[in-house]
């Protein structure tokens, strides 16, 4: 049988031969077993399931279902499968017009591989239309779970719907061979995967050491030094070829990309906020075809992106765990040639990431609360957000997990409580936060290593048992590299840029669903104009000054007044040529902002009229976690107490959180007769 597998492989790559571990996995699948393959990026995990799928079909056995987490990964898998002579299709949200033809191919037994996201397995159309056709005409020969760390509660990219894969497989009338593959499962994650797929599963684990990656850590104590470092090394000769810069947030990717473009470096931002698949594909192709120097990305660019000659990966922000870090640097050097891996380390990253982890973590009590709300009154996600102060992202995760554990079910847009009372899985989640904080501390230890091989530390904590000295990382070489430094000139250039950066405040165009009295689109005549923020909250420079003035000095300084005045003069036309100024009123600190705007008015010689009043106390917007609560919190809090002047007004607030305060105030002012309302925030979160 191995000879048949080798022939299939040689038809695809004439000079290639299967690794012994690849054949071991294929043989076990052909015998009907379940297999977990933990091997580094580029090892050839996809070869295992493509050859197994081909043999199954040649033996007139069922088709292979591949569960894959990302559209970019699915696109690559489709192309690779077709190159191996397999009839491969995908059902996803972007190709619904093809579903009927795909079902016809299944009906005619002309589908060898069907690739779906885990969510698709539970969709009504798949369960009622596609699955019956598969079971009647082809059957299922093999189930492949790609990027299987997503199964695990402990995995770095946990998706609750991955848990339903096992449930799906167990509902079939016969035992189906299963293959789970990943490059980034440490021992704990691997054990969790095996516990869910069955402890009798065969694990094939290889060495995770990447000898061609040169790991380095550059000390960059603040944002200007990070931005200055990027310009210095991407414009110079220290980083040749093309590569990836990883950032934590969407806004960070856009800011870094804009900075690079400003300095003549071809770059683009890539993140999950880009909804159109064709736009993401075009961005990927620009990097693949070397049309741009660098793609600045969140972890949305990870699994599935396959450019063999990525020559460098830079972490602008530190990863939350070694597992994530290994996954991300795995994009580099897949051709086996040397690649530079640089972490721009700032000790403040630890504090920011700790807040990110803890704020995004869901405590057991939140699960109980959502269960209680659904039991009291079934409703849609918008109904629940209107009744409970929780972010939409966090609520979506909770609903997914509750549904995966059969504690709730969905009928149309509404969620209902099931009869199931077993909450054991929810109780287990209490350990996850401690684990994530521990993994972040390991990342901090890695960033501060001075004498241990960086590659050795990294793979040791991912389950590698062999001690190594890679000979390539900064600690093994113990010699100075220009990649460790940044010139004061480039840091100063970044500081000046940050002072003048245009932080746009986009007008809200639609009310959130489920808010009483306010629904649908906001009429254009009552929308604020596009505004500006002077700084990012808590960031260096003006952002830090706003924070200090606001909470320590309890007084906005003359320095801030002068800076704001100069900004308005320089951007007068972009701010709709304001003819008068207005402060967003506050009951909590009634004189802080009004005093500032009064002094600003005198500096600019532009009139200041306080025609708005805060008529009802409201909680601080920063504590409102979703748009529904943010709007409900302030929708009746403001009133126009004097007839506004004609012309355009510059509406000034100190710290903008959600943007809904500007939206509500602008609507009231425009209804009262203002020509235009342009928001200006001293800082934006």
């Amino acid at each position: 049988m191995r000879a048949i597998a080798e022939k299939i492989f040689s038809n695809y790559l004439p000079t290639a031969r299967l690794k012994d571990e690849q054949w071991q996995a294929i043989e076990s699948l052909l015998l009907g077993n379940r297999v977990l393959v933990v091997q580094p990026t580029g090892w050839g995990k996809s070869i295992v399931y493509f050859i197994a799928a081909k043999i199954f079909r040649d033996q007139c056995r069922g088709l292979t279902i591949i569960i894959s987490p990302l559209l970019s990964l699915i696109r690559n898998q489709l192309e690779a499968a077709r190159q191996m002579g397999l009839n491969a299709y995908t059902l996803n949200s972007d190709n619904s017009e093809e579903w009927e033809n795909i079902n016809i191919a299944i009906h005619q037994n002309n589908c060898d591989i069907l690739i779906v996201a885990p969510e698709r397995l539970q969709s009504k159309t798949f369960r009622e239309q596609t699955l019956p056709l598969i079971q009647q005409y082809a059957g299922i020969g093999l189930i492949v779970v790609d990027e299987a760390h997503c199964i695990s509660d402990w995995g770095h990219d946990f998706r609750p719907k991955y848990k339903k894969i096992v449930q799906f497989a167990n509902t079939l009338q016969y035992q189906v061979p299963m293959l789970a593959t990943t490059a980034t499962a440490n021992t704990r994650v691997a054990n969790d995967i095996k516990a869910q797929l069955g402890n009798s599963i065969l694990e094939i684990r290889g060495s995770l050491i990447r000898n061609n990656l040169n790991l380095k850590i550059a000390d960059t104590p603040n944002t200007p030094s990070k931005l200055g470092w990027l310009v210095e090394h991407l414009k110079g000769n220290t980083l040749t070829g093309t590569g990836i810069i990883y950032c934590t947030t969407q806004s960070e990717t856009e800011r870094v990309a804009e900075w690079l473009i400003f300095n003549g470096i071809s770059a683009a931002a890539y993140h999950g906020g880009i909804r159109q698949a064709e736009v993401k594909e075009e961005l990927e192709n620009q990097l693949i075809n070397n049309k741009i120097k660098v793609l600045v990305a969140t972890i949305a660019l990870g699994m599935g992106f396959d450019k063999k000659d990525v020559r460098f990966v830079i972490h602008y922000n530190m990863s939350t765990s070694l597992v994530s870090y290994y996954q991300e640097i795995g994009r580099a050097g897949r051709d086996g040639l040397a690649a530079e891996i640089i972490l721009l380390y700032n000790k403040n990253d630890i504090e920011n990431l700790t807040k990110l982890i803890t704020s995004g973590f869901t405590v057991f009590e939140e699960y109980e609360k959502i269960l209680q709300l659904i039991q009291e009154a079934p409703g849609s996600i918008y109904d629940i957000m209107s009744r409970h102060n929780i972010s939409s992202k966090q609520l979506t995760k909770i609903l997914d997990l509750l549904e995966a554990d059969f504690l709730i079910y969905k009928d149309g847009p509404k969620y209902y409580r099931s009869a199931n009372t077993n909450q054991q899985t929810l109780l287990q989640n209490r350990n996850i936060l401690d684990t994530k904080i521990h993994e972040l501390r390991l990342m901090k230890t890695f960033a501060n290593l001075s004498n241990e091989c960086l590659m050795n530390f990294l793979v040791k904590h991912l389950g590698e048992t062999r001690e190594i000295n890679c000979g390539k990382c900064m600690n093994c070489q113990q010699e100075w590299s220009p990649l460790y430094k940044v010139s004061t000139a480039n840091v100063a250039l970044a500081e000046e840029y940050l002072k003048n950066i245009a932080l746009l405040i986009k007008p809200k165009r639609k009310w959130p669903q489920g808010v009483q009295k306010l629904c649908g689109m906001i009429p254009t005549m009552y929308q604020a104009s596009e505004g500006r923020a002077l700084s990012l909250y808590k960031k260096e420079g003006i952002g830090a000054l706003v924070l200090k003035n606001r909470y320590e000095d309890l007084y906005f300084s003359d320095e801030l007044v002068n800076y704001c005045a100069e900004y308005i003069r320089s951007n007068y036309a972009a701010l709709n040529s304001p003819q008068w100024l207005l402060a967003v009123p506050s009951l909590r600190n009634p004189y802080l902002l009004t005093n500032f705007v009064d002094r600003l008015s005198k500096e600019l010689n532009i009139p200041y009229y306080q025609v708005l009043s805060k008529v009802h106390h409201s909680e601080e917007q920063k504590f409102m976690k979703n748009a529904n609560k943010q709007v409900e919190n302030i929708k009746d809090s403001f009133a126009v107490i004097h007839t506004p002047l004609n012309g355009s007004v510059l509406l000034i607030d100190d710290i903008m959180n959600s943007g809904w305060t500007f939206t509500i105030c602008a609507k009231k002012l425009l209804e009262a007769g203002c020509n235009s309302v342009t928001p200006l925030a001293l800082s934006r979160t």
Side-chain angles (χ1 to χ4, degrees):
M1 187 61 74
R2 179 165 184 170
I4 295 173
E6 292 284 7
K7 187 173 187 308
I8 293 171
F9 195 22
S10 64
N11 288 338
Y12 174 58
L13 290 172
T15 60
R17 283 187 56 80
L18 288 173
K19 300 179 181 75
D20 288 341
E21 294 94 336
Q22 286 174 320
W23 167 244
Q24 182 187 7
I26 293 169
E27 183 180 40
S28 187
L29 293 171
L30 295 176
L31 293 173
N33 299 319
R34 294 184 175 185
V35 180
L36 169 62
V37 174
V38 183
Q39 295 285 357
T41 299
W43 178 83
K45 296 182 285 294
S46 61
I47 293 299
V48 171
Y49 51 77
F50 286 144
I51 290 178
K54 179 70 172 169
I55 293 174
F56 277 138
R57 294 302 278 161
D58 289 346
Q59 294 177 344
C60 298
R61 294 163 75 175
L63 60 78
T64 292
I65 294 180
I66 300 175
I67 294 100
S68 195
L70 297 173
L71 285 176
S72 58
L73 183 54
I74 290 172
R75 290 196 299 268
N76 292 340
Q77 289 167 325
L78 279 176
E79 183 179 349
R82 289 165 181 169
Q83 287 178 357
M84 292 195 72
L86 292 158
N87 294 322
Y89 301 92
T90 179
L91 294 171
N92 62 68
S93 56
D94 285 352
N95 74 337
S96 56
E97 72 282 355
E98 300 175 22
W99 291 1
E100 185 176 351
N101 289 335
I102 294 169
N103 284 336
I104 291 172
I106 293 170
H107 178 269
Q108 296 174 346
N109 204 15
N110 287 331
C111 175
D112 301 321
I113 287 180
L114 184 64
I115 309 176
V116 296
E119 292 82 359
R120 187 62 47 199
L121 296 177
Q122 302 301 321
S123 70
K124 186 175 181 180
T125 52
F126 182 83
R127 286 185 285 109
E128 295 183 0
Q129 298 177 24
T130 304
L131 185 57
L133 288 172
I134 293 173
Q135 293 174 318
Q136 182 176 357
Y137 294 101
I140 300 174
L142 173 65
I143 295 174
V144 177
V145 185
D146 207 10
E147 306 297 348
H149 51 266
C150 296
I151 286 181
S152 171
D153 291 2
W154 307 96
H156 75 282
D157 190 31
F158 173 54
R159 286 167 68 168
K161 287 188 170 64
Y162 255 73
K163 297 184 70 173
K164 292 191 174 183
I165 297 169
V166 182
Q167 298 165 3
F168 167 76
N170 291 338
T171 60
L172 300 176
Q173 295 176 346
Y174 47 90
Q175 175 76 17
V176 177
M178 289 185 71
L179 171 66
T181 68
T182 180
T184 52
N186 58 19
T187 303
R188 183 180 60 253
V189 173
N191 289 340
D192 194 33
I193 293 170
K194 288 190 287 185
Q196 295 194 48
L197 294 183
N199 284 314
S200 60
I201 190 170
L202 170 67
E203 180 179 352
I204 301 175
R205 177 181 284 272
S207 174
L208 299 178
I209 298 166
R210 297 285 305 277
N211 288 317
N212 62 321
L213 302 185
N214 307 326
L215 304 182
K216 292 180 174 66
I217 297 165
D219 185 24
T220 48
N222 53 40
T223 300
S225 63
K226 286 189 177 189
L227 294 176
W229 188 99
L230 292 176
V231 167
E232 185 154 328
H233 297 290
L234 291 174
K235 288 189 81 169
N237 298 318
T238 48
L239 290 174
T240 58
T242 56
I244 302 167
I245 299 172
Y246 278 109
C247 299
T248 301
T249 65
Q250 295 180 11
S251 59
E252 203 85 76
T253 65
E254 292 170 354
R255 183 163 66 137
V256 171
E258 288 167 3
W259 160 249
L260 295 178
I261 293 167
F262 176 78
N263 284 279
I265 300 165
S266 55
Y270 184 106
H271 52 72
I274 301 171
R275 300 298 182 189
Q276 303 91 337
E278 61 273 14
V279 175
K280 284 186 174 178
E281 188 173 3
E282 172 58 26
L283 290 171
E284 292 168 17
N285 287 334
Q286 285 183 27
L287 186 62
I288 288 170
N289 297 319
N290 300 319
K291 298 290 182 63
I292 55 176
K293 173 78 173 178
V294 64
L295 205 52
V296 188
T298 62
I299 57 173
L301 183 75
M303 298 177 291
F305 180 72
D306 188 14
K307 174 177 166 62
K308 304 297 184 187
D309 60 341
V310 171
R311 292 275 67 86
F312 58 86
V313 168
I314 301 164
H315 277 80
Y316 183 85
N317 302 116
M318 195 168 69
S319 300
T320 55
S321 72
L322 294 171
V323 176
S324 300
Y325 184 68
Y326 185 84
Q327 166 76 31
E328 290 146 19
I329 68 174
R331 301 303 103 205
R334 299 183 73 169
D335 55 4
L337 301 179
E340 294 289 349
I341 308 297
I342 304 103
L343 168 60
L344 303 183
Y345 178 61
N346 176 352
K347 63 181 181 181
N348 292 331
D349 286 347
I350 301 296
E351 179 185 351
N352 296 333
L353 289 171
T354 301
K355 289 179 180 177
L356 184 68
I357 290 171
T358 52
S359 64
F361 181 75
T362 306
V363 297
F364 175 73
E365 288 72 21
E366 283 287 2
Y367 289 101
E368 283 193 316
K369 180 64 178 177
I370 300 304
L371 272 176
Q372 180 186 345
L373 288 173
I374 293 173
Q375 184 162 329
E376 290 171 355
S380 70
I381 188 170
Y382 304 107
D383 296 330
I384 298 169
M385 284 195 296
S386 293
R387 294 159 61 198
H388 187 49
N389 188 23
I390 186 171
S391 72
S392 59
K393 184 176 181 180
Q394 194 174 19
L395 179 57
T396 299
K397 273 193 170 184
I398 290 174
L399 293 172
D400 281 348
L401 188 58
L402 293 177
E403 196 176 4
D405 286 340
F406 302 108
L407 292 165
I408 62 173
Y409 64 94
K410 191 176 183 183
D411 187 4
K414 289 189 175 183
Y415 290 91
Y416 296 82
R417 182 71 166 93
S418 72
N420 181 25
T421 59
N422 184 358
Q423 299 184 25
Q424 188 61 38
T425 303
L426 301 185
L427 290 169
Q428 291 171 354
N429 283 358
R430 289 180 169 178
N431 301 320
I432 297 177
L433 180 59
D434 290 340
T435 300
K436 288 183 178 293
I437 296 299
H438 171 71
E439 292 184 345
L440 178 59
R441 288 177 184 147
L442 282 177
M443 193 71 215
K444 178 183 178 181
T445 302
F446 171 82
N448 286 284
L449 282 179
S450 58
N451 47 29
E452 182 179 349
C453 170
L454 293 176
M455 181 62 75
N456 184 69
F457 183 90
L458 177 58
V459 298
K460 177 174 64 178
H461 288 280
L462 295 176
E464 185 76 34
T465 57
R466 184 159 54 102
E467 290 283 332
I468 65 153
N469 284 303
C470 71
K472 304 284 184 65
C473 75
M474 61 184 289
N475 290 345
C476 284
Q477 289 196 337
Q478 288 291 337
E479 61 184 46
W480 184 86
S481 165
L483 289 171
Y484 303 150
K485 299 295 182 181
V486 55
S487 67
T488 54
N490 279 321
V491 174
L493 183 68
E495 287 174 341
E496 188 63 27
Y497 175 82
L498 289 172
K499 284 183 180 178
N500 297 293
I501 192 171
L503 297 173
L504 301 181
I505 299 174
K506 298 286 187 181
K508 305 283 189 184
R509 304 193 186 282
K510 187 177 181 180
W511 300 111
Q513 291 190 41
V515 177
Q516 293 183 356
K517 300 179 184 177
L518 299 173
C519 61
M521 302 300 295
I522 303 173
T524 305
M525 68 181 73
Y526 298 141
Q527 291 179 16
S529 302
E530 183 177 82
R532 298 286 191 279
L534 299 185
S535 64
L536 288 171
Y537 185 53
K538 291 187 178 181
K539 295 294 183 181
E540 294 83 358
I542 297 302
L545 179 62
V546 172
L547 176 66
K548 181 178 181 298
N549 285 175
R550 176 73 169 77
Y551 292 106
E552 293 181 27
D553 306 330
L554 305 179
Y555 178 82
F556 288 124
S557 63
D558 290 342
E559 179 185 356
L560 190 58
V561 170
N562 294 334
Y563 180 86
C564 187
E566 184 55 39
Y567 183 90
I568 293 170
R569 291 189 191 103
S570 301
N571 297 274
Y572 189 73
L575 295 170
N576 279 333
S577 305
Q579 295 167 279
W580 55 291
L581 308 181
L582 172 62
V584 172
S586 170
L587 293 177
R588 193 171 289 104
N589 297 289
Y591 305 113
L592 180 67
L593 188 63
T594 54
N595 173 270
F596 172 82
V597 177
D598 183 52
R599 290 150 57 213
L600 179 65
S601 166
K602 293 179 173 64
E603 179 67 26
L604 289 167
N605 197 26
I606 297 177
Y608 163 42
Y609 293 99
Q610 193 58 42
V611 303
L612 267 181
S613 176
K614 186 80 176 286
V615 293
H616 296 297
H617 174 77
S618 61
E619 294 294 326
E620 290 186 73
Q621 283 291 81
K622 64 183 179 182
F623 297 123
M624 300 296 107
K625 297 179 181 179
N626 64 62
N628 297 65
K629 284 294 182 183
Q630 288 158 357
V631 173
E632 290 280 5
N633 186 46
I634 58 167
K635 67 179 183 180
D636 298 319
S637 294
F638 300 97
V640 176
I641 54 174
H642 299 294
T643 304
L645 300 181
N646 292 327
S648 58
V649 58
L650 191 63
L651 179 62
I652 301 172
D653 203 355
D654 48 10
I655 300 168
M656 188 194 90
N657 290 287
S658 67
W660 286 112
T661 298
F662 278 137
T663 303
I664 297 287
C665 290
K667 177 177 180 291
K668 291 186 177 294
L669 289 165
L670 291 164
E671 287 175 334
C674 284
N675 290 352
S676 69
V677 179
T678 303
L680 178 70
L682 303 184
S683 203
R684 187 188 79 187
T685 58

PDB file of all heavy atoms in Angstrom, residues 625-638:
ATOM      1  N   LYS A 625     -20.207  48.164  27.867  1.00  0.00           N
ATOM      2  CA  LYS A 625     -19.422  47.199  27.096  1.00  0.00           C
ATOM      3  C   LYS A 625     -19.976  46.877  25.722  1.00  0.00           C
ATOM      4  O   LYS A 625     -19.347  46.137  24.961  1.00  0.00           O
ATOM      5  CB  LYS A 625     -19.264  45.911  27.911  1.00  0.00           C
ATOM      6  CG  LYS A 625     -18.499  46.122  29.210  1.00  0.00           C
ATOM      7  CD  LYS A 625     -18.389  44.827  29.997  1.00  0.00           C
ATOM      8  CE  LYS A 625     -17.634  45.053  31.300  1.00  0.00           C
ATOM      9  NZ  LYS A 625     -17.544  43.808  32.095  1.00  0.00           N
ATOM     10  N   ASN A 626     -21.150  47.378  25.381  1.00  0.00           N
ATOM     11  CA  ASN A 626     -21.656  47.159  24.025  1.00  0.00           C
ATOM     12  C   ASN A 626     -22.418  48.394  23.568  1.00  0.00           C
ATOM     13  O   ASN A 626     -22.778  49.262  24.373  1.00  0.00           O
ATOM     14  CB  ASN A 626     -22.525  45.894  23.938  1.00  0.00           C
ATOM     15  CG  ASN A 626     -23.798  45.977  24.770  1.00  0.00           C
ATOM     16  OD1 ASN A 626     -24.649  46.827  24.534  1.00  0.00           O
ATOM     17  ND2 ASN A 626     -23.940  45.085  25.747  1.00  0.00           N
ATOM     18  N   ALA A 627     -22.633  48.485  22.269  1.00  0.00           N
ATOM     19  CA  ALA A 627     -23.243  49.687  21.695  1.00  0.00           C
ATOM     20  C   ALA A 627     -24.643  49.932  22.239  1.00  0.00           C
ATOM     21  O   ALA A 627     -25.046  51.084  22.444  1.00  0.00           O
ATOM     22  CB  ALA A 627     -23.279  49.560  20.171  1.00  0.00           C
ATOM     23  N   ASN A 628     -25.402  48.869  22.473  1.00  0.00           N
ATOM     24  CA  ASN A 628     -26.755  49.037  23.009  1.00  0.00           C
ATOM     25  C   ASN A 628     -26.727  49.750  24.360  1.00  0.00           C
ATOM     26  O   ASN A 628     -27.470  50.710  24.598  1.00  0.00           O
ATOM     27  CB  ASN A 628     -27.428  47.672  23.171  1.00  0.00           C
ATOM     28  CG  ASN A 628     -27.610  46.963  21.848  1.00  0.00           C
ATOM     29  OD1 ASN A 628     -26.624  46.607  21.205  1.00  0.00           O
ATOM     30  ND2 ASN A 628     -28.841  46.758  21.434  1.00  0.00           N
ATOM     31  N   LYS A 629     -25.860  49.284  25.255  1.00  0.00           N
ATOM     32  CA  LYS A 629     -25.752  49.888  26.576  1.00  0.00           C
ATOM     33  C   LYS A 629     -25.180  51.305  26.501  1.00  0.00           C
ATOM     34  O   LYS A 629     -25.571  52.189  27.268  1.00  0.00           O
ATOM     35  CB  LYS A 629     -24.881  49.014  27.482  1.00  0.00           C
ATOM     36  CG  LYS A 629     -25.586  47.769  28.001  1.00  0.00           C
ATOM     37  CD  LYS A 629     -26.734  48.142  28.929  1.00  0.00           C
ATOM     38  CE  LYS A 629     -27.426  46.933  29.511  1.00  0.00           C
ATOM     39  NZ  LYS A 629     -28.592  47.303  30.349  1.00  0.00           N
ATOM     40  N   GLN A 630     -24.251  51.512  25.575  1.00  0.00           N
ATOM     41  CA  GLN A 630     -23.648  52.841  25.424  1.00  0.00           C
ATOM     42  C   GLN A 630     -24.700  53.879  25.020  1.00  0.00           C
ATOM     43  O   GLN A 630     -24.709  54.999  25.534  1.00  0.00           O
ATOM     44  CB  GLN A 630     -22.517  52.775  24.396  1.00  0.00           C
ATOM     45  CG  GLN A 630     -21.285  52.046  24.910  1.00  0.00           C
ATOM     46  CD  GLN A 630     -20.405  51.522  23.799  1.00  0.00           C
ATOM     47  OE1 GLN A 630     -20.729  51.648  22.608  1.00  0.00           O
ATOM     48  NE2 GLN A 630     -19.281  50.930  24.163  1.00  0.00           N
ATOM     49  N   VAL A 631     -25.575  53.509  24.097  1.00  0.00           N
ATOM     50  CA  VAL A 631     -26.616  54.434  23.653  1.00  0.00           C
ATOM     51  C   VAL A 631     -27.692  54.591  24.728  1.00  0.00           C
ATOM     52  O   VAL A 631     -28.123  55.710  25.040  1.00  0.00           O
ATOM     53  CB  VAL A 631     -27.232  53.961  22.317  1.00  0.00           C
ATOM     54  CG1 VAL A 631     -28.429  54.831  21.944  1.00  0.00           C
ATOM     55  CG2 VAL A 631     -26.186  54.008  21.213  1.00  0.00           C
ATOM     56  N   GLU A 632     -28.143  53.480  25.297  1.00  0.00           N
ATOM     57  CA  GLU A 632     -29.162  53.553  26.349  1.00  0.00           C
ATOM     58  C   GLU A 632     -28.688  54.426  27.513  1.00  0.00           C
ATOM     59  O   GLU A 632     -29.469  55.146  28.135  1.00  0.00           O
ATOM     60  CB  GLU A 632     -29.488  52.144  26.863  1.00  0.00           C
ATOM     61  CG  GLU A 632     -30.240  51.262  25.885  1.00  0.00           C
ATOM     62  CD  GLU A 632     -31.730  51.544  25.835  1.00  0.00           C
ATOM     63  OE1 GLU A 632     -32.169  52.500  26.498  1.00  0.00           O
ATOM     64  OE2 GLU A 632     -32.440  50.817  25.117  1.00  0.00           O
ATOM     65  N   ASN A 633     -27.393  54.374  27.799  1.00  0.00           N
ATOM     66  CA  ASN A 633     -26.828  55.079  28.945  1.00  0.00           C
ATOM     67  C   ASN A 633     -26.948  56.596  28.826  1.00  0.00           C
ATOM     68  O   ASN A 633     -27.097  57.294  29.832  1.00  0.00           O
ATOM     69  CB  ASN A 633     -25.358  54.671  29.100  1.00  0.00           C
ATOM     70  CG  ASN A 633     -24.717  55.231  30.347  1.00  0.00           C
ATOM     71  OD1 ASN A 633     -25.293  55.179  31.429  1.00  0.00           O
ATOM     72  ND2 ASN A 633     -23.522  55.787  30.205  1.00  0.00           N
ATOM     73  N   ILE A 634     -26.885  57.115  27.585  1.00  0.00           N
ATOM     74  CA  ILE A 634     -26.808  58.581  27.438  1.00  0.00           C
ATOM     75  C   ILE A 634     -27.867  59.187  26.522  1.00  0.00           C
ATOM     76  O   ILE A 634     -27.888  60.401  26.333  1.00  0.00           O
ATOM     77  CB  ILE A 634     -25.419  58.991  26.886  1.00  0.00           C
ATOM     78  CG1 ILE A 634     -25.167  58.305  25.537  1.00  0.00           C
ATOM     79  CG2 ILE A 634     -24.321  58.681  27.881  1.00  0.00           C
ATOM     80  CD1 ILE A 634     -24.000  58.884  24.783  1.00  0.00           C
ATOM     81  N   LYS A 635     -28.752  58.383  25.964  1.00  0.00           N
ATOM     82  CA  LYS A 635     -29.646  58.898  24.922  1.00  0.00           C
ATOM     83  C   LYS A 635     -30.548  60.042  25.404  1.00  0.00           C
ATOM     84  O   LYS A 635     -30.941  60.901  24.617  1.00  0.00           O
ATOM     85  CB  LYS A 635     -30.487  57.767  24.327  1.00  0.00           C
ATOM     86  CG  LYS A 635     -31.492  57.149  25.276  1.00  0.00           C
ATOM     87  CD  LYS A 635     -32.294  56.049  24.587  1.00  0.00           C
ATOM     88  CE  LYS A 635     -33.348  55.482  25.523  1.00  0.00           C
ATOM     89  NZ  LYS A 635     -34.136  54.413  24.889  1.00  0.00           N
ATOM     90  N   ASP A 636     -30.864  60.056  26.706  1.00  0.00           N
ATOM     91  CA  ASP A 636     -31.729  61.112  27.245  1.00  0.00           C
ATOM     92  C   ASP A 636     -30.982  62.033  28.208  1.00  0.00           C
ATOM     93  O   ASP A 636     -31.602  62.760  28.991  1.00  0.00           O
ATOM     94  CB  ASP A 636     -32.931  60.488  27.966  1.00  0.00           C
ATOM     95  CG  ASP A 636     -33.798  59.667  27.027  1.00  0.00           C
ATOM     96  OD1 ASP A 636     -34.021  60.127  25.888  1.00  0.00           O
ATOM     97  OD2 ASP A 636     -34.229  58.568  27.427  1.00  0.00           O
ATOM     98  N   SER A 637     -29.633  62.012  28.143  1.00  0.00           N
ATOM     99  CA  SER A 637     -28.843  62.738  29.146  1.00  0.00           C
ATOM    100  C   SER A 637     -28.537  64.179  28.774  1.00  0.00           C
ATOM    101  O   SER A 637     -28.102  64.947  29.627  1.00  0.00           O
ATOM    102  CB  SER A 637     -27.527  61.995  29.405  1.00  0.00           C
ATOM    103  OG  SER A 637     -27.765  60.751  30.008  1.00  0.00           O
ATOM    104  N   PHE A 638     -28.716  64.558  27.505  1.00  0.00           N
ATOM    105  CA  PHE A 638     -28.316  65.893  27.061  1.00  0.00           C
ATOM    106  C   PHE A 638     -29.526  66.670  26.526  1.00  0.00           C
ATOM    107  O   PHE A 638     -30.460  66.087  25.977  1.00  0.00           O
ATOM    108  CB  PHE A 638     -27.249  65.799  25.965  1.00  0.00           C
ATOM    109  CG  PHE A 638     -25.996  65.097  26.417  1.00  0.00           C
ATOM    110  CD1 PHE A 638     -25.798  63.743  26.147  1.00  0.00           C
ATOM    111  CD2 PHE A 638     -25.014  65.777  27.116  1.00  0.00           C
ATOM    112  CE1 PHE A 638     -24.653  63.089  26.566  1.00  0.00           C
ATOM    113  CE2 PHE A 638     -23.863  65.137  27.539  1.00  0.00           C
ATOM    114  CZ  PHE A 638     -23.679  63.788  27.265  1.00  0.00           C
TER     115      PHE A 638
END
